[in-house]
């Protein structure tokens, strides 16, 4: 069945008015694939804001009901990130494959605008525990390149108090005062993580424009007047917390700061009566991130695989060294 020819299906561009329906579709897919749902309206609106909805996004509908969504975002001109969801009740009818072809057709148009001589790739994420999903992607020409985990802690008691190294203090982010310094520290801290690409400052600032942005959940560790680590967090549906960015700058690593800021984060969520906290992590990280998270009580909740297709050969500018 082709979504472009089947009389019962329609294809159109999304608008912000579709955000609720898109969130519901994604949550239905995640509930089926992972047993968890955490997509919020703010998440969708943030993604819409970072996407050209007139050229880089599609919805598939039947009788006004949403069956599928697909979108592209380009990072640093060289990595084209694909988002693709099909409702569990409407899979195995060719909708996902047809949407993938649309994504690739648009991605091929973006390749010519990439930096000269740079490798350009299209990437997406699949259920890492689903051999069928990985095999489906392989059949479309995608290689499986990396595993990622969602890890979580379920708190039944207050977490231990953090033990900070001498000279290290922590406070919450001060919007308008700390913004640029925090952005630079985040970029430096993540610069040796696998697959990292530089982010634009204006794009990063969008995180503070969300309706659910709470600067009292952005924890920043300092050594004098130097930012040394950060745990940038938000609340989740179903009584949870989410750590979106956690890192320590290289000169301050291996001193217990990451553990301390994690425990500080857990403690604040506990005080707010949020009984679980989750984050995403590179499962193959060589920096010991997964071991750190396990040591503070987190466990693997979900497993993802990143799949990739090289659209144009060239120089790979993504970070591959440390993982």
């Amino acid at each position: 069945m082709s979504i472009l020819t089947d009389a019962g299906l329609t294809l159109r561009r999304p608008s912000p008015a579709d955000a609720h329906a898109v969130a519901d579709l994604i949550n239905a897919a995640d509930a089926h694939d992972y047993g968890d749902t955490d997509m919020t309206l703010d998440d969708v609106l943030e993604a819409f804001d970072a996407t050209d909805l007139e050229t880089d996004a599609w919805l598939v509908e039947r009788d006004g009901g949403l069956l599928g969504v697909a979108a592209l975002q380009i990072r640093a001109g060289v990595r084209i990130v694909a988002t693709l969801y099909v409702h569990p009740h409407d899979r195995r009818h060719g909708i996902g494959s047809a949407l993938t072809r649309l994504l690739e057709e648009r991605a091929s148009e973006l390749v010519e605008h990439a930096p000269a001589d740079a490798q350009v790739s299209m990437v997406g994420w699949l259920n890492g525990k689903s051999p069928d999903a990985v095999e489906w992607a392989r059949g479309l020409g995608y290689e499986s390149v990396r595993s990622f985990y969602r890890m979580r802690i379920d708190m039944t008691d207050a977490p231990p108090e953090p033990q900070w190294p001498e000279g290290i203090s922590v406070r919450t982010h001060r919007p308008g005062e700390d913004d640029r310094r925090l952005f630079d520290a985040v970029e430096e801290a993540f610069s040796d993580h696998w697959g990292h690409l530089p982010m634009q400052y204006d794009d990063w600032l969008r995180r503070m424009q969300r309706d659910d942005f709470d600067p009292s959940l952005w924890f920043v560790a300092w050594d004098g007047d130097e930012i040394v680590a950060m745990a940038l967090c938000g609340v989740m549906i179903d009584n949870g917390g989410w750590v979106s960015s956690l890192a320590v700058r290289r000169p301050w690593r291996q001193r217990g700061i990451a553990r301390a800021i994690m425990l500080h984060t857990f403690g604040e969520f506990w005080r707010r009566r949020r009984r679980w906290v989750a984050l995403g992590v590179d499962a193959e990280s060589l920096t010991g991130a997964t071991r750190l998270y396990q040591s503070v009580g987190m466990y693997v909740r979900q497993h993802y695989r990143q799949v990739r297709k090289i659209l144009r050969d060239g120089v790979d500018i993504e970070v591959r060294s440390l993982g």
Side-chain angles (χ1 to χ4, degrees), residues 66-85:
L66 187 60
L67 276 63
V69 58
L72 291 176
Q73 292 181 9
I74 188 163
R75 308 279 172 81
V78 298
R79 185 196 298 155
I80 301 173
V81 180
T83 299
L84 172 61
Y85 289 91

Side-chain angles (χ1 to χ4, degrees), residues 262-282:
M262 285 298 299
L263 293 176
H264 179 85
T265 297
F266 295 164
E268 181 58 32
F269 279 120
W270 176 265
R271 284 186 286 275
R272 297 185 184 210
R273 300 184 182 278
R274 291 190 170 266
R275 296 302 184 241
W276 61 266
V277 183
L279 51 73
V281 61
D282 177 0

Side-chain angles (χ1 to χ4, degrees), residues 14-292:
S15 75
D18 297 305
H20 274 293
V22 170
D24 288 345
L25 170 64
I26 293 173
N27 281 327
D30 285 346
H32 178 272
D33 295 338
Y34 305 106
D36 279 328
T37 62
D38 56 28
M39 183 60 59
T40 68
L41 178 63
D42 284 305
D43 292 330
V44 176
L45 290 173
E46 182 180 27
F48 278 7
D49 188 51
T51 303
D52 188 335
L53 300 181
E54 293 298 320
T55 60
D56 299 342
W58 298 264
L59 300 180
V60 179
E61 295 177 318
R62 178 188 290 121
D63 298 327
L66 187 60
L67 276 63
V69 58
L72 291 176
Q73 292 181 9
I74 188 163
R75 308 279 172 81
V78 298
R79 185 196 298 155
I80 301 173
V81 180
T83 299
L84 172 61
Y85 289 91
V86 177
H87 196 283
H89 295 161
D90 299 285
R91 295 176 181 175
R92 299 185 181 276
H93 297 296
I95 295 175
S97 297
L99 283 172
T100 300
R101 289 194 293 273
L102 285 177
L103 292 169
E104 290 181 356
E105 289 172 5
R106 174 56 181 156
S108 67
E109 298 171 358
L110 297 172
V111 169
E112 64 184 66
H113 302 295
D117 301 324
Q119 180 189 97
V120 183
S121 63
M122 184 164 148
V123 303
W125 283 264
L126 300 171
N127 183 348
K129 291 187 175 181
S130 172
D132 289 345
V134 175
E135 186 60 32
W136 169 79
R138 185 178 295 114
L140 294 174
Y142 290 82
E143 60 173 336
S144 179
V145 294
R146 198 79 169 182
S147 284
F148 293 85
Y149 293 147
R150 173 166 293 188
M151 300 186 70
R152 170 168 158 164
I153 183 172
D154 299 312
M155 298 182 290
T156 56
D157 298 297
E161 289 295 321
Q163 301 297 312
W164 293 97
E166 184 177 356
I168 304 299
S169 61
V170 64
R171 65 168 171 82
T172 57
H173 174 62
R174 296 171 182 169
E177 179 181 338
D178 298 335
D179 295 346
R180 184 73 211 199
R181 294 184 68 189
L182 180 57
F183 169 76
D184 290 340
V186 170
E187 279 295 294
E188 179 187 323
F190 279 95
S191 64
D192 53 14
H193 284 216
W194 186 91
H196 177 76
L197 289 171
M199 191 174 188
Q200 296 297 312
Y201 180 54
D202 289 343
D203 292 337
W204 185 79
L205 285 176
R206 288 195 183 99
R207 301 175 67 178
M208 287 179 275
Q209 297 168 1
R210 293 171 52 127
D211 289 341
D212 62 354
F213 169 63
D214 183 353
S216 70
L217 285 173
W218 279 28
F219 309 115
V220 185
W222 296 77
D223 185 353
D225 61 356
E226 289 275 0
I227 294 176
V228 302
M230 69 293 299
L232 311 183
C233 309
V235 297
M236 298 283 281
I237 60 176
D238 191 27
N239 201 36
W242 175 253
V243 184
S244 61
S245 298
L246 186 145
V248 179
R249 292 172 61 195
R250 183 186 286 267
W252 286 271
R253 292 175 186 169
Q254 306 301 319
R255 294 175 55 185
I257 296 173
R259 180 182 180 86
I261 204 168
M262 285 298 299
L263 293 176
H264 179 85
T265 297
F266 295 164
E268 181 58 32
F269 279 120
W270 176 265
R271 284 186 286 275
R272 297 185 184 210
R273 300 184 182 278
R274 291 190 170 266
R275 296 302 184 241
W276 61 266
V277 183
L279 51 73
V281 61
D282 177 0
E284 301 169 48
S285 170
L286 300 180
T287 62
T290 54
R291 294 191 298 275
L292 166 67

